[in-house]
Structures are given as C-alpha cells and as structure tokens.
Amino acid sequence: MMISYRLMQARDVPGVFKVDQACFIHNWSQDSYEAETKNILSNYIVAEADGEIIGFGGFWQVIDEAHITNIAVLKEYRQTGVGQKIINAMLALALAKGCVGMTLEVRGDNQPAINFYLKNKFTRQGRRKDYYGAGLDAIIMWRYGLE
Ligand SMILES: CC(C)(COP(=O)(O)OP(=O)(O)OC[C@H]1O[C@@H](n2cnc3c(N)ncnc32)[C@H](O)[C@@H]1OP(=O)(O)O)[C@@H](O)C(=O)NCCC(=O)NCCS
C-alpha cells in the first residue's frame, strides 16, 4: 500500500479529527484542528493511504523550539513505521524552520509512546504531577539538536 506523507491542509481536518477520536481519551474538537490550519505557529504532517488519513503529528514553533501537540496513528497501522515517518517529517520541518529542539508531554503510563520518543533521541527532562488527572503524571521529554 502506498502511504504518502505531507503537510496538513484544511480539507484533511475531518480525517485528522477521526484519527484523534480513535486514538485519544482527551480529544480535541474538530474546530481546534480547523484553527490549527490557520495558526501560523502550527505545523502538521499527515499520513494518507488511499485517500484516508491514517495518522498525523503536529507541533507549534515557539521561537526556536518545536512543541509537539499530538501524534497518532490508527491502531491497525501501528508498529509498521508510519509514526516513525511522521516524526521524521516533523523533525526535518522543524530543523528547516530553524528550531534547535523539540519537546512534548506524554502520560507516564504510555510506554509505547515513551519508547517511540526514546528511540528518536528524546530524553526525560521532567514530570508534571497529575497533569492528566489524579495520579496521571506527564513526563516532559526533550530532544536537543534536530540534525
Ligand atoms: C506512539 C505512536 C504514534 C507510534 O506510532 P507507530 O506507527 O506505531 O510507530 P512505529 O511503527 O513507527 O515505531 C517506531 C518505534 O517506536 C517504538 N514503538 C512503537 N510502538 C511501540 C510499542 N507498542 N511498544 C514498544 N515500542 C514501540 C519502537 O521503538 C519502534 O521502533 P522499532 O519498530 O524499530 O521497534 C502510536 O503508538 C500511537 O498512535 N499511539 C496512540 C496515540 C499516542 O499515545 N500518541 C502519543 C501521545 S504523546
């Protein structure tokens, strides 16, 4: 199957919203993604297979830092390298835009995602207690240097 990786466009919003709904417990609204297409700080990559959005990832560029907002791949496509290709595209885009680091928050019990980031040279740099609710801490991860 051919999967293409490209920048998100306004017409991708329903598909991105569908992936969000399928992958997260705390969901963004479709309006939030709509707003992201107009936000000059936002940069989103989508993965598309046969006209369907199967994954996406985004970051906000804050001066020279890239803050990941969300990254997700539909369950049936996971562990086949789609997430890796999405983050590769995000890292390349952030580097091209002059970013020197990338950061994110991830739930402390989300081991697949933590492994995913560790593999991509992110390291644990902090913790926000109860960020996702009582007993659900966020791990703050950073990658310094995007080359
Ligand atoms: C995190 C996520 C985007 C990874 O996407 P993916 O397409 O499955 O990732 P890939 O197949 O490209 O895997 C790349 C690497 O990530 C790690 N990884 C991915 N899934 C993993 C799992 N279930 N267990 C352990 N490590 C995993 C591995 O190191 C893997 O490299 P390898 O294949 O050489 O072992 C996906 O699991 C997902 O959508 N999760 C739900 C949403 C989410 O939690 N997002 C993160 C919010 S911070």
Side-chain angles (χ1 to χ4, degrees):
M1 184 199 314
M2 251 290 282
I3 301 176
S4 57
Y5 299 85
R6 56 172 177 77
L7 289 172
M8 175 171 78
Q9 325 251 301
R11 67 181 157 88
D12 300 319
V13 166
V16 165
F17 177 61
K18 234 161 123 180
V19 174
D20 178 303
Q21 291 274 305
C23 297
F24 296 117
I25 304 164
H26 301 287
N27 299 104
W28 283 30
S29 65
Q30 187 155 326
D31 284 351
S32 314
Y33 286 111
E34 197 79 56
E36 289 294 73
T37 65
K38 296 172 189 132
N39 180 350
I40 55 159
L41 300 180
S42 293
N43 299 273
Y44 279 76
I45 300 291
V46 295
E48 183 180 33
D50 295 333
E52 183 195 8
I53 303 298
I54 60 161
F56 73 96
F59 66 88
W60 289 329
Q61 180 171 5
V62 182
I63 319 291
D64 60 356
E65 295 175 348
H67 291 245
I68 294 183
T69 55
N70 278 327
I71 177 163
V73 173
L74 288 179
K75 213 175 206 141
E76 53 271 37
Y77 292 94
R78 285 185 200 158
Q79 291 187 278
T80 62
V82 174
Q84 188 60 54
K85 292 235 174 62
I86 292 172
I87 195 129
N88 288 348
M90 290 165 66
L91 287 161
L93 186 57
L95 179 65
K97 294 196 152 211
C99 292
V100 297
M102 192 175 269
T103 185
L104 60 100
E105 284 110 14
V106 56
R107 251 173 70 161
D109 61 359
N110 190 351
Q111 204 55 53
I114 292 171
N115 284 354
F116 174 75
Y117 294 123
L118 287 172
K119 187 180 184 197
N120 283 285
K121 301 189 210 156
F122 288 79
T123 55
R124 293 182 184 84
Q125 296 294 331
R127 179 180 284 268
R128 291 190 220 279
K129 206 167 151 38
D130 300 334
Y131 187 80
Y132 297 103
L136 295 173
D137 296 354
I139 310 292
I140 302 165
M141 300 183 83
W142 270 94
R143 172 167 160 168
Y144 304 108
L146 303 183
E147 301 81 17

